[in-house]
Amino acid sequence: MPVYKAPADDVMFLLNDVLHWDRYGNLPGFSDASPDVVAAIVGEGAKISEEILQPLNLSGDREGCTRHPDGAVTTPKGFKDAYKAYAEGGWVGIAADPEYGGQGLPYTLGCVVNEFSASANMAFTMYPGLSQGAIAAISEHASADLKKIYLPKMISGEWTGTMNLTEPHCGTDLGLLKTKAAPNGDGTYSIAGQKIFISAGEQDLTENIVHLVLARIEGAPAGTRGISLFIVPKFLPDAAGQPGARNAVSCGSIEHKMGIHANATCVMNYDGARGFLIGEANKGLNAMFVMMNEARLGVANQGLAISEVAYQNAAAYAKDRLQGRSLSGAKAPDKPADPIIVHPDVRRMLLEIRAFNEAARALTLWTSLQADVARRSLDPKERLTADDFLGLLTPVLKGVLTDKGFENAVKAQQVFGGHGYVGEWGMEQFVRDARIAMIYEGANGIQALDLVGRKLPKDAGRALTAFLGEIQAFLKENEANADLKVYLGALKQGTCHLQQATMWLMQNAMGKPENAGAGSTDYMHLFGLVALGYMWARIAKAALARKAAEPAKADAMDAKLIAGKFFAERMMSESAAHLARISTGCDTIMSMKAEMF
Amino acid sequence: MPVYKAPADDVMFLLNDVLHWDRYGNLPGFSDASPDVVAAIVGEGAKISEEILQPLNLSGDREGCTRHPDGAVTTPKGFKDAYKAYAEGGWVGIAADPEYGGQGLPYTLGCVVNEFSASANMAFTMYPGLSQGAIAAISEHASADLKKIYLPKMISGEWTGTMNLTEPHCGTDLGLLKTKAAPNGDGTYSIAGQKIFISAGEQDLTENIVHLVLARIEGAPAGTRGISLFIVPKFLPDAAGQPGARNAVSCGSIEHKMGIHANATCVMNYDGARGFLIGEANKGLNAMFVMMNEARLGVANQGLAISEVAYQNAAAYAKDRLQGRSLSGAKAPDKPADPIIVHPDVRRMLLEIRAFNEAARALTLWTSLQADVARRSLDPKERLTADDFLGLLTPVLKGVLTDKGFENAVKAQQVFGGHGYVGEWGMEQFVRDARIAMIYEGANGIQALDLVGRKLPKDAGRALTAFLGEIQAFLKENEANADLKVYLGALKQGTCHLQQATMWLMQNAMGKPENAGAGSTDYMHLFGLVALGYMWARIAKAALARKAAEPAKADAMDAKLIAGKFFAERMMSESAAHLARISTGCDTIMSMKAEMF
């Protein structure tokens, strides 16, 4: 059975020492979240994840979801009670508007707890996770009437939300979608069509499900300019706001997937279901993007979450499993063999994961704080910069954290040898679960294109300029600190390669966009390396300070300094290879005729 | 449903144009394998793989194997008939000794067909694949009496073989094994113990199963010097050589694994089973290594095989799936969207796989030819060099082809977006199946250690010196050929990095072996890049010649030249990062205290 202990101490170190939580006290909602309150919330989030969600992870994977002939879906044993505990704990609406029953706490705290719960049970976490995205979209774009009906029930967790975009012939290219919305004459619409890959599309956890559905109103323009967003509840709320008549939406089948078996991935059939328009007609993609951006950060968090729990299990196994002897002589001569943690290659695998996890967590929290600032700050300039950073980093986090999260799950599985391939240790489940995060909410190739095609050139590169400016300022501010030399040196090198790559794109991709496409994935990962390297430099600085101030934490801080050094020495060396590949451009790639593939 | 077409044309091009099959005509057994005969065999191997094995792949995965209360195991529907066809086709004993009913054909041809069959159905191919390893071990080490009893039945495919090494507490470190062998006084032994992860340990395909079992004879020395190898048949052959009394060996359970569901992975219980010693007492590991080396090449082949079939499906999907428009303007304006093959990033993924596959196939065949020369040549010097190459390349092929094979399966799955994550397209099965190849027959970290710790220093580096010498000679011989410039340039760069890395190890790892351990995986992959780069240079040279000689093949040859250029421009750029990582040594890695992980 896999183990999991939420990294609450690391989170508190990151929030307080690295990200200076206290500096955000003036933001609305942050005043209620003093360091003590934050520590208590983080502790409670750790507890529910470790004690309630994690024990259901392996069993949930084995049992999976069951669709019954009437279209009802049963979630695995224990999920209903776990969901009840989760909802009653107020976790669904942790960051939601208090006007509708939310706790109004920083979004960042929601991200912290979502990492924990996804480590403990990714498939479970998707049920409330999708609700949070739907809550965000409704909050931002729906009418006051709709908000009043739906938000309180969703924020309390009594109802869940879903996201209905994909159709059999269209996923990435939503302009092709065919689901129709016909006006009923009373302001509502009649929705008809089929949606596929709908996570949590049907379940037995809640009394109602609120589907957010993209559809085309009759007569709307073709392509993405004719798409509208609708609320389509499973049960139509009655006058008292309680689930009333059954709506004409049903689960046609559930997919047999590689992983996340405990989350029902549904084909949803809309057979003239009653729908309520969110926001303006034909502006549905804008409204949906709120949900998608939120979901992208959530998915990035899943990449980190699986990487973390996979690391914990691999490290425990490596310290326990006796096999072979150290290359420099027996380390446990009293035992039949040494624990495999003595082997440099086993340590390399573990350190590659660890050095990613801690920086990725810092970057996730840094980015979530941007989201908080962008939404809450009273200073428009601050809001603008934070929003720029959020937009710029969202595709990077989604693409890089999920690519690496999956790779790391594979690496952690490798530490177990043959035991990693069989079900009982749970390592192979982490790999299967982590795999979807690279695909859904926009496949990672799409994230890379979003980065180089939209986020970089937007506003004449304002976001990137500001981001690089922040790094340069940090480098300058700390250049005299000899203890930071290795961390700053690597960051400098990576930043230099990122600048060169950006320059190359500016010079070569304006007139020939395929030069950007050909280097997009490399650029995204190069960006990720630099962002993680920046976080390592900040972590190292904070760790040195904490170690000096609190000698009892010397070992914990030394572990960070070593992991960061490993990142600087080994992992940043990939930046040159990314730059080299980006600079080769698209010519060879495009010279292959389609039929030659 | 996934598709598969065996790359028979590519194999014939590699054998004839790149590897000059005709030059091996003087080897015993090769005279029967003229190019025409080879083409016919390759064609038949393609046929059985495409028509009989591939249609059972998806269904075999879904159904899996079933263990019954009496310990019997049923393979999936259709496997019994497919196995019968495979055995009757003579494929099990294609390269085996004609004295015992084998076809005595080159080992290389066996490898060709094993790639096809593993692409078509990896789980199926493991049943005869393990037999081939067992046949090799018995042929080389068993007594004439044992050979006479077992080889004909195994070579004909009437009986299968298995390999019993792993126990619950030992896999890599066989010195810890506990299975006991007590002399019965009649020259046979009584075997008692438990083995785990035994592929094809029980099945319903054949009337008998021949287990090769490592055990410790009572009173034998501890560690690896006290291990002996035994034949333990499921049914003891009677005087007529037919399966007689049931032996005390049984399948206790089958594992629930991530993949290869159609191959039964068994816990095997030996309860005083009668065993027959192979070779000398306490020299069992030597005898088993014959089987393991053969098996390692077989597993390497599985990495390539899955990469190939995954590529074929991803390329077909990319040409078919309409989604979005080309960055440089619509390419299929008459359709609702362009096929996704227009996107540079999709092409990048496909080319990364393709550029690996073709060179990996060349390298596999080149190495198999070394095995043929090492076993068959009449010239002792030729045999020695070939054996050196075989020993040097075996861990490289096992480690690199399975690491990359898995990565490529993941990449090919990514091309499908969400459709890659659900079962029906078969892509997620390729990923799950490919994953085991990085683990079994020695986890890839062990391959890397075998390379840097044993194969490199052996005989004062004779094998590496000869390998680099061959590459240098090729570079020199072709340096004037301007058409080869990009291929040779990349090879030169990679070779230079490999030489620098080797030098670094020589200078830093002799006195501090953990410096070798810390860089071992990077070294193995750097070696792989160079070996693949060497193959690309040879392929490019042959493709240019073929194109000139046979204009009808211009497109096919151009595709090779483009894929090779992609490898040179993009994939070889990783060599510098490997060197950089190797040169950082072990200090940071080893400075982390075990309890800090």
Side-chain angles (χ1 to χ4, degrees):
Chain A
M1 272 285 283
V3 294
Y4 176 62
K5 191 179 173 321
D9 289 348
D10 190 41
V11 165
M12 294 313 298
F13 167 77
L14 290 171
L15 290 180
N16 291 325
D17 291 31
V18 179
L19 300 171
H20 308 291
W21 186 261
D22 51 351
R23 293 186 195 160
Y24 296 86
N26 62 336
L27 289 182
F30 274 63
S31 56
D32 297 336
S34 66
D36 284 355
V37 171
V38 170
I41 292 169
V42 168
E44 285 303 310
K47 202 171 159 205
I48 191 170
S49 300
E50 294 166 2
E51 294 176 10
I52 295 185
L53 304 184
Q54 200 270 344
L56 299 175
N57 194 40
L58 201 65
S59 57
D61 178 66
R62 288 200 182 161
E63 184 184 340
C65 293
T66 311
R67 179 185 173 278
H68 303 281
D70 64 353
V73 168
T74 312
T75 57
K77 205 177 149 200
F79 270 50
K80 208 166 173 165
D81 288 342
Y83 180 80
K84 197 160 171 270
Y86 189 92
E88 286 176 0
W91 299 108
V92 179
I94 180 170
D97 191 342
E99 194 187 329
Y100 300 101
Q103 298 198 51
L105 286 162
Y107 172 72
T108 303
L109 290 185
C111 286
V112 167
V113 178
N114 282 345
E115 186 210 313
F116 296 173
S117 59
S119 282
N121 197 325
M122 176 168 155
F124 173 90
T125 304
M126 292 170 66
Y127 293 104
L130 282 154
S131 288
Q132 289 173 336
I135 290 168
I138 293 174
S139 300
E140 198 140 335
H141 289 282
S143 66
D145 282 353
L146 288 173
K147 284 194 208 180
K148 223 171 68 188
I149 298 170
Y150 290 97
L151 284 181
K153 295 283 192 184
M154 294 174 76
I155 286 172
S156 68
E158 288 163 272
W159 299 357
T160 55
T162 74
M163 197 164 162
N164 288 239
L165 288 76
T166 307
E167 298 180 5
H169 59 284
C170 78
T172 300
D173 187 356
L174 290 171
L176 300 175
L177 76 79
K178 293 179 181 166
T179 298
K180 286 197 166 52
N184 290 327
D186 60 356
T188 69
Y189 292 80
S190 176
I191 311 289
Q194 188 178 64
K195 296 287 180 176
I196 63 169
F197 301 159
I198 307 309
S199 298
E202 185 54 275
Q203 37 82 354
D204 58 354
L205 305 175
T206 56
E207 58 179 22
N208 204 2
I209 305 174
V210 181
H211 301 292
L212 264 59
V213 184
L214 287 183
R216 200 180 293 282
I217 296 174
E218 280 179 354
T224 52
R225 289 198 198 87
I227 297 174
S228 304
L229 181 63
F230 299 88
I231 286 179
V232 184
K234 179 178 169 186
F235 291 100
L236 292 157
D238 61 20
Q242 295 304 313
R246 185 73 160 85
N247 207 350
V249 47
S250 61
C251 165
S253 62
I254 57 178
E255 301 286 355
H256 295 279
K257 311 185 298 288
M258 185 180 188
I260 47 165
H261 291 159
N263 198 280
T265 306
C266 301
V267 171
M268 298 302 296
N269 295 319
Y270 292 85
D271 302 307
R274 186 176 292 256
F276 305 87
L277 183 67
I278 298 184
E280 284 179 61
N282 301 336
K283 294 271 172 73
L285 272 193
N286 286 351
M288 193 55 119
F289 263 114
V290 171
M291 186 166 181
M292 272 168 68
N293 279 328
E294 182 120 349
R296 283 174 179 180
L297 287 180
V299 172
N301 220 343
Q302 292 174 346
L304 164 61
I306 298 289
S307 185
E308 171 66 33
V309 67
Y311 171 83
Q312 291 188 14
N313 282 277
Y317 187 82
K319 286 185 269 190
D320 184 62
R321 173 78 171 173
L322 304 178
Q323 204 78 179
R325 288 292 183 192
S326 159
L327 294 169
S328 56
K331 295 289 176 285
D334 52 321
K335 292 185 179 160
D338 288 339
I340 61 173
I341 192 80
V342 303
H343 298 300
D345 194 58
V346 170
R347 291 169 157 255
R348 172 193 63 78
M349 291 192 279
L350 291 173
L351 276 166
E352 282 176 4
I353 310 176
R354 172 89 165 253
F356 166 82
N357 289 353
E358 297 192 9
R361 182 171 300 117
L363 188 60
T364 301
L365 298 180
W366 182 87
T367 309
S368 324
L369 272 172
Q370 306 302 326
D372 276 318
V373 173
R375 284 173 208 165
R376 298 174 191 239
S377 174
L378 305 174
D379 174 356
K381 205 170 149 257
E382 229 177 54
R383 281 205 307 272
L384 184 76
T385 304
D387 198 55
D388 276 355
F389 283 166
L390 179 63
L392 184 66
L393 267 298
T394 296
V396 175
L397 281 171
K398 169 26 172 118
V400 175
L401 268 56
T402 63
D403 274 1
K404 294 292 166 191
F406 174 75
E407 270 178 36
N408 289 345
V410 171
K411 244 173 247 169
Q413 180 189 27
Q414 189 73 12
V415 171
F416 282 74
H419 298 278
Y421 198 67
V422 296
E424 61 191 284
W425 287 93
M427 302 306 288
E428 59 93 32
Q429 184 191 347
F430 295 141
V431 173
R432 289 186 288 103
D433 286 356
R435 184 65 185 89
I436 189 59
M438 296 158 70
I439 298 173
Y440 61 15
E441 303 306 336
N444 286 354
I446 299 300
Q447 305 300 326
L449 265 190
D450 178 46
L451 177 65
V452 301
R454 282 196 212 122
K455 301 299 172 62
L456 280 194
K458 198 172 168 238
D459 304 311
R462 189 178 66 204
L464 179 69
T465 305
F467 186 70
L468 291 175
E470 176 164 326
I471 292 177
Q472 300 292 8
F474 184 88
L475 284 169
K476 201 164 168 53
E477 184 189 319
N478 297 284
E479 65 188 349
N481 189 338
D483 294 336
L484 288 180
K485 198 175 161 205
V486 61
Y487 311 97
L488 299 182
L491 175 58
K492 215 171 197 167
Q493 180 208 302
T495 307
C496 173
H497 289 150
L498 181 60
Q499 284 170 315
Q500 287 176 264
T502 308
M503 191 70 76
W504 192 92
L505 288 181
M506 283 171 63
Q507 288 168 346
N508 295 281
M510 298 289 200
K512 201 172 175 182
E514 277 150 354
N515 270 331
S520 55
T521 291
D522 273 298
Y523 188 90
M524 177 178 77
H525 279 284
L526 174 54
F527 198 118
L529 271 177
V530 171
L532 294 173
Y534 173 44
M535 290 300 126
W536 265 124
R538 291 183 60 165
I539 293 170
K541 183 179 176 179
L544 287 165
R546 173 59 52 198
K547 192 179 155 182
E550 199 178 346
K553 288 207 170 152
D555 255 23
M557 295 302 118
D558 279 344
K560 288 185 190 301
L561 292 166
I562 294 168
K565 200 171 166 206
F566 179 92
F567 183 91
E569 289 175 344
R570 292 203 168 225
M571 294 165 75
M572 191 58 96
S573 59
E574 203 60 30
S575 68
H578 286 305
L579 173 61
R581 285 192 285 268
I582 293 164
S583 314
T584 62
C586 71
D587 291 347
T588 303
I589 286 180
M590 300 312 293
S591 68
M592 192 99 148
K593 297 182 216 165
E595 60 272 24
M596 286 180 178
F597 279 94
Chain B
M1 272 284 284
V3 295
Y4 177 62
K5 191 179 174 319
D9 289 348
D10 190 41
V11 164
M12 295 312 297
F13 167 76
L14 290 171
L15 291 178
N16 292 325
D17 291 31
V18 179
L19 300 170
H20 308 291
W21 186 261
D22 51 350
R23 293 185 195 161
Y24 296 85
N26 62 336
L27 289 181
F30 274 64
S31 56
D32 297 338
S34 65
D36 284 356
V37 171
V38 170
I41 292 169
V42 168
E44 286 301 312
K47 203 172 157 201
I48 191 169
S49 300
E50 294 165 2
E51 295 176 7
I52 295 185
L53 305 184
Q54 200 270 342
L56 299 176
N57 195 41
L58 202 63
S59 57
D61 177 67
R62 288 200 181 163
E63 184 183 341
C65 293
T66 312
R67 180 185 174 277
H68 304 282
D70 64 353
V73 168
T74 311
T75 56
K77 204 176 151 203
F79 270 50
K80 209 165 173 167
D81 288 342
Y83 181 81
K84 197 158 171 273
Y86 189 92
E88 286 176 0
W91 298 108
V92 180
I94 182 171
D97 191 344
E99 197 188 327
Y100 300 102
Q103 298 199 52
L105 286 163
Y107 171 72
T108 303
L109 290 184
C111 286
V112 167
V113 178
N114 282 346
E115 187 209 311
F116 295 174
S117 59
S119 282
N121 197 324
M122 177 168 153
F124 173 91
T125 304
M126 293 171 66
Y127 293 104
L130 282 154
S131 288
Q132 289 173 336
I135 290 167
I138 293 174
S139 299
E140 197 141 333
H141 289 282
S143 67
D145 281 355
L146 287 174
K147 286 193 202 177
K148 225 170 68 188
I149 297 170
Y150 290 96
L151 285 181
K153 295 283 193 184
M154 294 174 76
I155 286 170
S156 69
E158 289 163 89
W159 300 356
T160 56
T162 74
M163 197 164 163
N164 288 238
L165 288 77
T166 306
E167 299 180 4
H169 58 286
C170 78
T172 300
D173 187 356
L174 291 171
L176 300 175
L177 74 80
K178 293 180 181 166
T179 298
K180 284 196 167 52
N184 289 328
D186 61 354
T188 69
Y189 291 80
S190 177
I191 311 292
Q194 189 178 65
K195 296 287 182 178
I196 64 168
F197 301 157
I198 307 309
S199 299
E202 186 54 273
Q203 38 81 355
D204 59 353
L205 305 175
T206 57
E207 57 180 21
N208 205 1
I209 304 173
V210 182
H211 301 292
L212 264 60
V213 184
L214 287 183
R216 202 180 292 282
I217 297 174
E218 281 180 353
T224 53
R225 290 196 198 87
I227 297 174
S228 304
L229 182 63
F230 299 88
I231 286 179
V232 184
K234 177 177 171 187
F235 291 100
L236 292 157
D238 63 18
Q242 296 305 314
R246 184 71 160 85
N247 207 351
V249 47
S250 60
C251 165
S253 62
I254 57 179
E255 301 285 356
H256 296 278
K257 309 185 301 289
M258 185 179 188
I260 49 166
H261 292 159
N263 198 281
T265 305
C266 302
V267 172
M268 297 301 296
N269 295 320
Y270 292 85
D271 302 307
R274 187 174 290 257
F276 306 87
L277 183 67
I278 297 184
E280 283 179 61
N282 301 336
K283 295 272 172 72
L285 273 194
N286 287 350
M288 194 54 120
F289 263 114
V290 172
M291 185 168 180
M292 272 168 66
N293 279 328
E294 183 120 350
R296 283 174 180 182
L297 288 180
V299 172
N301 220 343
Q302 292 174 345
L304 164 61
I306 299 289
S307 185
E308 171 66 33
V309 68
Y311 171 83
Q312 290 188 16
N313 283 278
Y317 187 82
K319 286 184 272 190
D320 186 61
R321 173 79 172 173
L322 304 178
Q323 203 78 181
R325 289 292 182 192
S326 161
L327 294 170
S328 56
K331 295 289 177 285
D334 53 321
K335 293 183 178 160
D338 288 339
I340 60 171
I341 193 80
V342 302
H343 299 299
D345 194 58
V346 170
R347 291 169 156 252
R348 172 194 62 79
M349 292 193 277
L350 291 173
L351 276 166
E352 282 177 3
I353 311 176
R354 171 89 165 253
F356 166 83
N357 288 353
E358 297 192 10
R361 183 171 298 116
L363 189 61
T364 300
L365 299 179
W366 182 87
T367 308
S368 325
L369 271 171
Q370 306 302 328
D372 276 318
V373 173
R375 283 173 208 165
R376 298 172 191 241
S377 173
L378 304 173
D379 175 354
K381 205 169 148 259
E382 230 177 54
R383 282 207 305 272
L384 185 75
T385 304
D387 198 55
D388 277 354
F389 283 167
L390 180 62
L392 184 67
L393 268 297
T394 296
V396 175
L397 281 171
K398 189 333 187 151
V400 176
L401 267 57
T402 62
D403 274 0
K404 294 290 166 194
F406 173 75
E407 270 177 35
N408 289 343
V410 172
K411 243 173 249 171
Q413 181 189 25
Q414 190 73 13
V415 172
F416 282 74
H419 298 278
Y421 198 66
V422 296
E424 60 191 285
W425 286 92
M427 301 307 287
E428 60 91 31
Q429 183 191 349
F430 295 142
V431 173
R432 288 185 289 102
D433 286 356
R435 183 64 184 90
I436 188 58
M438 297 158 70
I439 298 173
Y440 62 16
E441 302 306 336
N444 286 355
I446 299 298
Q447 306 299 326
L449 264 190
D450 178 46
L451 177 65
V452 300
R454 284 196 210 119
K455 301 301 172 60
L456 279 195
K458 199 174 167 236
D459 304 311
R462 190 178 66 204
L464 179 68
T465 307
F467 186 70
L468 291 175
E470 177 165 325
I471 292 177
Q472 301 292 8
F474 183 88
L475 285 168
K476 199 163 169 54
E477 186 190 319
N478 297 285
E479 65 188 350
N481 189 337
D483 293 335
L484 289 179
K485 199 176 161 204
V486 61
Y487 311 97
L488 299 182
L491 175 57
K492 215 171 198 165
Q493 179 210 302
T495 307
C496 173
H497 289 151
L498 180 61
Q499 284 170 316
Q500 287 176 262
T502 308
M503 191 69 77
W504 192 92
L505 288 181
M506 283 171 63
Q507 288 168 346
N508 296 281
M510 298 288 200
K512 199 170 176 181
E514 278 151 352
N515 269 331
S520 54
T521 292
D522 273 299
Y523 188 90
M524 177 177 79
H525 279 283
L526 174 54
F527 199 119
L529 272 179
V530 172
L532 294 172
Y534 174 44
M535 291 301 127
W536 265 123
R538 291 183 59 164
I539 294 170
K541 184 180 176 177
L544 287 165
R546 171 61 52 201
K547 190 178 159 183
E550 201 176 346
K553 289 205 170 152
D555 255 22
M557 295 302 119
D558 279 343
K560 287 185 191 302
L561 292 165
I562 293 168
K565 200 172 165 204
F566 179 91
F567 183 91
E569 289 175 344
R570 291 202 168 225
M571 292 164 77
M572 191 59 96
S573 60
E574 202 59 31
S575 68
H578 287 306
L579 174 61
R581 285 191 286 267
I582 293 164
S583 314
T584 63
C586 71
D587 291 348
T588 303
I589 287 180
M590 300 312 293
S591 68
M592 192 100 148
K593 297 182 217 164
E595 60 273 21
M596 287 179 177
F597 278 95

